[in-house]
Structure formats: C-alpha cells, structure tokens
Amino acid sequence: LKAFTDGLDRDVVKPELERLAELTGSFEDLAEIYEATAQEIEDDDEEMVPLLRRAAQLQQQAGKNDDAVRVWKALLAKVPEDGQALDALGQLFETSKNAQSLSEVYSRKAAITQDPNEKFDLLMRAGEAFEAAGNDAQAIASFKGAVDLKSAPEAWGALDHLYGKNKQTADQAVVLYSLAQLATDPEQRRAYLLRRSQLLEKDDQPAEALRGYAAVLELNPLEPHAIAGLERLMADEALKPEAARLLEPADRNLNELRKLIDVLEVRVAALAGGPRLA
C-alpha cells in the first residue's frame, strides 16, 4: 500500500492489491485506496481517471452505491462525456428511484450520442424521469426535443398529457392537431380533432374552434359533440351564418325540425337571390 500511494511501480503493485482484495473481500478498502491516490496526484496525471474508474467499480461491486455515485460523479467532473460513468450512474439512479438525477443522466447521454434513434429514446426517458421528479418544464423540453428528431405518436402524446396537466391550452391544441395528422384510424383522428376544437372554444378562439368542428363533421357528419359545439357558436354573430350552414345537413339527417327551422332562418337572413329563395 505504501509503495502504491507513493507512486513506486504502481503497475507492479496494483495487481497484487487486486489479488489481496479478492482473497480478503476488501474491495471497499481497495476502492478507498484508489480514490485517495487519485485525489493526491496531479490533475494532468494520466493515472487519475483509471484510478477513479476502478474505485467506482469496486464501490459498486461492494454494494456501496452512495459511494459509487460519488466517485462516478468525480470521474465525470474530469471527463464529462464518459459513457461508462453515465451508464453506471443511470443504473444506480434507477435502482434508487432517484428520478431527478436519472433525468439529468439521460439528458447528458442524449447530448453526446450521435445515433438519432438512441437520442430519441434517451430524450423520452429523460422526459419521463423529469416528470416523475416533478419538473414538468424540463420534461416538456425533453419531449419537444424528441419530436424534433421523430414525429412519433408517443412523444406527441406525452406533450398532450403535460400541456393538459399544466393548462397550456394553445400548445395542447397544436399537439392535438399533430396527433390527428399522424392518426391512421379515422375514429382516433376524429377524437383528437374534437378535443382540439373544444380546447380552442374554451380558450376563446371561436373561429378556429368552428373550423375544427367542421373537420370533425367531415369524418362523422352526426358527431353529437361537434354539433353541440356549433350550436354554442351560433351565439357568436360573426360566426352564426357559417355555423348554421354546417348544422343544416346534420339537423336535416337527425330530423331535428325545430333546430332546422332556426338554422334555415339564419341562413335566409345572410343570403340573397336564388340561394335565399331556395
């Protein structure tokens, strides 16, 4: 030990220390020796990083996870993009359910990887971990980074959930439109467009809401919630004629005669000539 810490033939002494630690089960003691030596040598000494790496591995092997985390972090302070250290910390934080630290690890790994698919997966994991840690703003940023890489339903769906949770109506409406564009099932697409229209209506964007309800009726001409939305928009004088035009075929097909009379009267008032006569 004295020869090792004094730097005398470390390459020769190290295998002996490893052998003795194996024989005696003194892995934690050996890790402390390596860490202490790393702290004493110069920053530019090429032995520092290998010593910290082995110290962290030994602490983890000994089940001293808190100490392992500390040493891995010390290694990252020297080599910020060390993949092995990030992987090890990810495993340790998953074991300890430390969502905040885990999210930071995933974010750092995403920043250094060059593989778009791997980066997407890491950003998704980072977003989930940030949300679990109660950091919704960072979770949103991670999921937005994921959709920039790949317009995937799971990433848009995560944003839909977070924007709804945080009452960010305008942003959620944009996300719902993207989800509707990605949907291959007409019923699913209708559901996204309907939710978007209802959000826009609540957010005091009646003209956009009306266009949304019109798109829903193109998919299902008798969608009751879209019809109800257009009936509410009849109260807006500027939108009344267009809402009446959209409601006329629905009321006719549903045999809603009283409502049909009302929308026809609105349409008559807004028309002239031949269309009005009809």
Side-chain angles (χ1 to χ4, degrees):
L1 171 58
K2 187 177 188 309
F4 186 82
T5 53
D6 287 346
L8 304 175
D9 290 328
R10 281 198 190 117
D11 290 341
V12 174
V13 176
K14 185 178 178 182
E16 286 300 302
L17 284 175
E18 293 274 349
R19 183 180 64 81
L20 290 169
E22 180 74 31
L23 286 172
T24 60
S26 306
F27 296 113
E28 187 180 353
D29 294 335
L30 183 57
E32 291 173 359
I33 292 168
Y34 288 158
E35 185 181 1
T37 304
Q39 290 171 349
E40 291 177 8
I41 62 180
E42 298 293 330
D43 283 346
D44 59 354
D45 193 316
E46 62 182 17
E47 290 189 64
M48 177 180 288
V49 170
L51 285 170
L52 287 173
R53 190 184 309 283
R54 186 59 183 146
Q57 290 170 336
L58 288 167
Q59 292 285 20
Q60 198 166 344
Q61 183 178 337
K64 302 295 182 179
N65 289 352
D66 289 344
D67 290 321
V69 167
R70 176 176 49 75
V71 182
W72 282 122
K73 284 184 173 181
L75 192 155
L76 278 179
K78 305 296 181 184
V79 189
E81 297 184 356
D82 190 275
Q84 186 181 12
L86 289 170
D87 288 341
L89 285 171
Q91 293 172 2
L92 290 165
F93 292 142
E94 282 181 0
T95 301
S96 63
K97 309 298 183 186
N98 188 332
Q100 181 62 39
S101 296
L102 186 60
S103 63
E104 292 167 1
V105 168
Y106 284 145
S107 294
R108 291 178 72 167
K109 290 178 70 175
I112 64 176
T113 184
Q114 300 301 313
D115 184 328
N117 291 325
E118 184 181 0
K119 187 184 288 286
F120 175 85
D121 290 339
L122 288 167
L123 286 170
M124 291 294 294
R125 292 183 191 178
E128 291 164 1
F130 275 125
E131 185 182 1
N135 192 339
D136 286 355
Q138 281 297 108
I140 287 171
S142 293
F143 289 130
K144 286 175 72 174
V147 297
D148 287 342
L149 286 170
K150 187 196 302 182
S151 185
E154 62 268 30
W156 287 114
L159 285 172
D160 174 29
H161 163 70
L162 281 168
Y163 284 142
K165 176 182 173 184
N166 290 279
K167 310 299 183 188
Q168 293 176 243
T169 306
D171 292 321
Q172 189 178 9
V174 173
V175 169
L176 286 170
Y177 180 79
S178 297
L179 282 167
Q181 298 304 110
L182 288 172
T184 55
D185 178 10
E187 278 301 302
Q188 193 178 48
R189 185 165 190 257
R190 176 198 58 75
Y192 286 135
L193 289 174
L194 179 62
R195 282 179 55 210
R196 176 178 180 271
S197 303
Q198 291 168 331
L199 279 174
L200 291 168
E201 186 182 353
K202 290 178 182 177
D203 198 41
D204 198 25
Q205 299 185 56
E208 280 297 314
L210 183 142
R211 282 190 281 272
Y213 287 132
V216 173
L217 290 181
E218 288 180 8
L219 294 169
N220 182 352
L222 301 181
E223 162 56 52
H225 297 291
I227 292 171
L230 289 169
E231 289 174 345
R232 290 190 298 271
L233 292 175
M234 287 277 284
D236 189 313
E237 289 298 324
L239 299 176
K240 201 170 187 176
E242 180 62 11
R245 184 187 72 78
L246 293 166
L247 284 169
E248 181 186 347
D251 288 340
R252 195 180 301 280
N253 288 330
L254 291 169
N255 202 32
E256 294 277 6
L257 298 183
R258 182 66 259 176
K259 292 180 178 180
L260 181 58
I261 291 168
D262 291 341
V263 298
L264 285 172
E265 286 179 344
V266 171
R267 297 206 67 200
V268 165
L271 295 170
R276 186 168 187 267
L277 179 60

